[in-house]
Amino acid sequence: MRVLERLDRLYAIGGGPGANRPGGSPEEDEAHELVAGWMREAGLEVEVDPAGNLFGRLRGRRPELAEVWTGSHLDSVPRGGRFDGALGVVGGLEAVERTGVQDRSLVVVAFRDEEGSTGPGCRGSRSLCRRGIDPTPAAFVELHVEQGPRLEAAGAPLGVVTGIVASARGEVVIEGREGHAGTTPMAQRDDALVAAAELVLRLRDRAAAVGGAVATVGCLTVEPGASNVIPARVSLSVDLRARDDAELEELCAVVPGELSRTSAVELAAGPRTALLEQLAARGLPSVELVSGAGHDAGVLAAAGVPAAMLFVRSLNGGISHSPDEHTAAGDIELALAVLAGALERLAAAGDD
Ligand code: GLV
Ligand code: MN
Ligand code: MN
């Protein structure tokens, strides 16, 4: 299957184990170049915007009609999976090639640095929305793996996303005082790592107390970083998610310092309905779910683009941001058919 072969080509770029294409890296550039080549092969007009986002345009015969967009991102977390982001770009291209749309223009987009290797995430789509998308597309539909266990548990290959949770990210620095590990009595220490550990546990407890919220500390830098020196300074990353902005604030209250917040967002009724109709037409269960992961579709939705997302079942218990991420070829085939059908419908809507 061509989509799987292309995902393998992208997966091989970082050299493994896992996908290694952090935003802003030469590996992300290489992925964009590879996909630009596939876009050209498919007859799309390729364009790169000032943020490095890649667009492949299938020009319709009526340029006065608004474009319909699909796509996702090509960067990955370190040791990431084969499907996160890449499926939405490669699968979006495949779906566009399968549509018989002649009139409205279809666009495949690959956004830069969605994972936030250098910041709060979705750098490419945020930059695009800050500059303004003119003209606004009629719809953006992002295909993505679920990255969680719910579709697998429901026995459903596909799901339609209703909205994306609120999130906050940032770095916290905790200062202590260095000293000799052997001679400083416990009562006289100001150990920055002990304070950091207490913060991690407070975050865990607050997230557990706020229903459905999650808190993660994934990076920790300890200075000066020697086994016989009491830690004097610790920086730690904080990643908080909650169902709505009010619950997110309950988590943020635990963190000293500034966090960059992204509000919860609801996805648009029009393209969501187009996806649900495609599921129904194929006799597939109509599962709707909220996304706990952030996505470029959320950024576009917040900027006023009618955006929707189609999730494909993640296997292996839904594991993601891991080389164990897995989705079955048969589920991807179904997703391509549903995406192509929805893009065709959305392109036909207003074509009167
Ligand atoms: C993107 O993968 C995120 O961290 O939600
Ligand atoms: Mn992703
Ligand atoms: Mn991701």
Side-chain angles (χ1 to χ4, degrees):
M1 177 187 187
R2 185 164 71 167
V3 165
L4 290 181
E5 284 162 19
R6 288 180 166 179
L7 291 175
D8 282 347
R9 295 271 307 273
L10 290 165
Y11 194 63
I13 285 176
N20 286 290
R21 306 184 302 271
S25 67
E27 289 79 13
E28 188 194 31
D29 291 347
E30 193 178 331
H32 275 245
E33 277 157 30
L34 194 54
V35 170
W38 296 333
M39 287 174 166
R40 286 192 192 94
E41 267 172 41
L44 308 192
E45 278 173 37
V46 171
E47 190 192 320
V48 177
D49 79 0
N53 299 312
L54 172 68
F55 296 85
R57 289 197 151 76
L58 185 66
R59 294 264 184 218
R61 285 192 297 244
R62 293 173 59 194
E64 74 279 10
L65 293 174
E67 296 174 334
V68 174
W69 290 14
T70 187
S72 188
H73 61 98
L74 292 170
D75 63 306
S76 77
V77 294
R79 290 173 54 85
R82 196 178 240 92
F83 303 89
D84 179 0
L87 175 65
V89 177
V90 168
L93 177 58
E94 189 76 23
V96 162
E97 286 198 70
R98 288 185 190 187
T99 59
V101 173
Q102 300 289 316
D103 286 339
R104 181 109 37 135
S105 301
L106 295 179
V107 177
V108 184
V109 54
F111 292 112
R112 286 280 182 168
D113 193 12
E114 189 274 344
E115 302 288 3
S117 74
T118 54
C122 296
R123 186 178 62 76
S125 52
R126 284 183 210 272
S127 163
L128 175 70
C129 292
R130 260 195 313 275
R131 278 180 283 122
I133 312 179
D134 186 25
T136 304
F140 171 60
V141 184
E142 181 169 357
L143 167 66
H144 206 284
V145 283
E146 183 204 341
Q147 309 180 273
R150 285 169 298 172
L151 292 176
E152 190 178 24
L158 304 175
V160 175
V161 181
T162 56
I164 298 176
V165 297
S167 63
R169 276 199 206 174
E171 192 189 48
V172 177
V173 176
I174 296 179
E175 306 275 0
R177 198 175 59 247
E178 63 206 23
H180 195 293
T183 59
T184 315
M186 293 309 282
Q188 287 173 26
R189 294 178 181 220
D190 182 6
D191 184 326
L193 184 54
V194 170
E198 285 166 354
L199 174 61
V200 172
L201 294 176
R202 273 202 306 282
L203 278 170
R204 180 198 61 177
D205 294 345
R206 183 65 66 92
V210 176
V214 289
T216 306
V217 173
C219 303
L220 205 65
T221 310
V222 181
E223 294 170 61
S227 60
N228 59 351
V229 182
I230 297 166
R233 193 171 198 270
V234 172
S235 6
L236 59 164
S237 64
V238 174
D239 180 312
L240 311 174
R241 324 261 177 139
R243 286 176 301 202
D244 59 40
D245 295 4
E247 288 183 351
L248 184 70
E249 285 315 313
E250 290 186 44
L251 284 180
C252 290
V254 176
V255 179
E258 276 309 299
L259 296 175
S260 139
R261 292 166 170 76
T262 303
S263 287
V265 68
E266 196 177 324
L267 297 182
R272 271 165 62 184
T273 304
L275 289 168
L276 287 168
E277 283 171 359
Q278 292 298 315
L279 294 181
R282 290 168 177 78
L284 295 168
S286 297
V287 177
E288 294 186 274
L289 67 177
V290 174
S291 172
H295 296 288
D296 296 302
V299 174
L300 269 65
V305 176
M309 292 192 76
L310 177 65
F311 270 178
V312 196
R313 169 164 57 190
S314 292
L315 301 176
N316 286 342
I319 190 161
S320 183
H321 285 181
S322 155
D324 294 336
E325 183 178 85
H326 186 56
T327 285
D331 290 353
I332 291 175
E333 264 306 337
L334 287 174
L336 295 175
V338 165
L339 178 62
L343 292 175
E344 254 176 62
R345 271 307 290 269
L346 290 163
D351 183 19
D352 41 36

